[in-house]
Amino acid sequence: MASAVIGSDILDIGTRKARRQRGDPLPPALTLGAPGQFDLPNVPDPASYCRSNFASVCGTGDEGQSVKFSKGTTTLAFKFNGGVIVSVDSRSTMGAYISSGTVKKIIEINPFLLGTMAGGAADCSFWERNLGMECRLYELRNGRRISVAGASKLLANVMSSYRGYGLSMGTMIAGWDEKGPQLYYVDDDGTRLKGKMFSVGSGSTYAYGILDNYYREDLTVEEAIDLGKRAIYHAAHRDAASGGINNLYHMTKDGWTKIHSIDVNDMHYEFAEERANAMQA
């Protein structure tokens, strides 16, 4: 008895060979990504189109373009006697378009180090995760945790080496080491600043308004958490590019602890009720 044989033509379904056998028209060949060639806009003059529509990010010219990087966020951190509070929103924007409302803008570098994201999400996420790897290698080589100053310096050195390459990053590095709570600001120019209080992003001016009024070094933990929460709320309320969820972390000698993730819309009604009760009293 002869065994059944399955023809190989079944493997050709959907291929150019099958279409050619049936006489179907073939799709046009794609030329994108050809070796040794750049993919160009499908316009008569690609060079003129790029010059007139895309902004240079290297700071060496091309100032009059109509399309520019347009970002928005609110991140803040401050030191007090009980540690460091790090509070952020979660909205990601591309100009006027809200691309996401659930971005995690606090990066957990290691159990004693936190980094924040402001600027380009890809740049912040990649380089701070890279920093986590470098910090772990330092710990393995030296048998002790890297200091917050050392971690921030590593990041600042990398940013300095890539200055002018178009990176977009404004981050805070917060942690606890042998010297206690530490807070540094690092950006894509390689700038590195040590301080007690920073806010970065399009909503930072609104956040600074709250922080400057109510910040004290002797805040209790509850007061510090409430301050970080209120500053993000007011920034999100006034800045269209900030909003979503307020993620808040507390850094102590035992490492960081995530305190809450609260929708800023819920905070709006909570604080509106609080204001109404205060006015009645």
Side-chain angles (χ1 to χ4, degrees):
M1 180 179 177
S3 59
V5 177
I6 299 177
S8 62
D9 57 341
I10 193 173
L11 303 177
D12 298 329
I13 294 176
T15 65
R16 284 177 173 268
K17 179 180 178 181
R19 291 189 180 194
R20 193 178 296 110
Q21 289 173 346
R22 293 197 307 268
D24 295 341
L26 297 176
L30 295 176
T31 58
L32 296 177
Q37 297 182 12
F38 287 107
D39 296 335
L40 300 176
N42 187 21
V43 293
D45 189 348
S48 175
Y49 178 85
C50 289
R51 282 196 300 269
S52 61
N53 288 281
F54 296 98
S56 170
V57 294
C58 63
T60 58
D62 296 337
E63 298 297 334
Q65 288 82 355
S66 59
V67 177
K68 300 188 188 313
F69 285 93
S70 184
K71 307 172 289 295
T73 188
T74 304
T75 64
L76 65 90
F78 60 86
K79 293 196 307 183
F80 69 111
N81 292 344
V84 184
I85 291 293
V86 184
S87 186
V88 301
D89 74 322
S90 68
R91 177 171 290 180
S92 175
T93 56
M94 295 186 290
Y97 174 68
I98 300 174
S99 54
S100 176
T102 57
V103 176
K104 188 176 181 180
K105 297 184 182 179
I106 298 180
I107 296 177
E108 300 155 359
I109 298 172
N110 67 36
F112 292 88
L113 274 177
L114 293 172
T116 63
M117 289 172 49
D123 295 338
C124 293
S125 180
F126 176 83
W127 288 112
E128 289 186 32
R129 281 175 168 79
N130 177 264
L131 176 62
M133 179 192 69
E134 295 293 341
C135 292
R136 179 56 178 157
L137 289 173
Y138 178 94
E139 187 174 347
L140 292 172
R141 290 180 184 129
N142 298 277
R144 60 186 178 89
R145 294 200 318 267
I146 191 172
S147 65
V148 183
S152 64
K153 187 62 176 176
L154 285 176
L155 184 60
N157 288 344
V158 172
M159 292 300 102
S160 294
S161 67
Y162 281 94
R163 181 185 298 168
Y165 280 72
L167 294 181
S168 175
M169 196 180 84
T171 184
M172 293 171 284
I173 303 297
W176 194 292
D177 56 25
E178 296 88 347
K179 297 182 179 180
Q182 303 290 328
L183 178 61
Y184 287 84
Y185 165 81
V186 179
D187 68 15
D188 50 65
D189 285 334
T191 302
R192 173 175 170 267
L193 303 172
K194 181 179 181 180
K196 295 181 180 179
M197 177 175 63
F198 292 111
S199 183
V200 187
S202 58
S204 60
T205 52
Y206 306 108
Y208 271 130
I210 303 300
L211 293 173
D212 288 339
N213 273 292
Y214 299 106
Y215 171 76
R216 307 188 319 272
E217 286 192 8
D218 62 346
L219 290 168
T220 65
V221 173
E222 292 74 17
E223 289 173 334
I225 290 172
D226 185 68
L227 176 58
K229 173 181 170 182
R230 286 175 185 270
I232 291 295
Y233 160 70
H234 284 282
H237 184 62
R238 294 294 181 185
D239 177 37
S242 301
I245 306 296
N246 170 222
N247 293 309
L248 189 144
Y249 285 65
H250 180 207
M251 178 71 69
T252 67
K253 61 182 178 62
D254 298 317
W256 55 260
T257 302
K258 186 173 183 179
I259 302 300
H260 66 231
S261 294
I262 303 177
D263 194 317
V264 295
N265 292 321
D266 296 336
M267 287 196 285
H268 175 77
Y269 294 107
E270 175 189 341
F271 294 145
E273 182 180 357
E274 182 181 300
R275 284 194 300 270
N277 294 336
M279 292 177 65
Q280 291 177 358

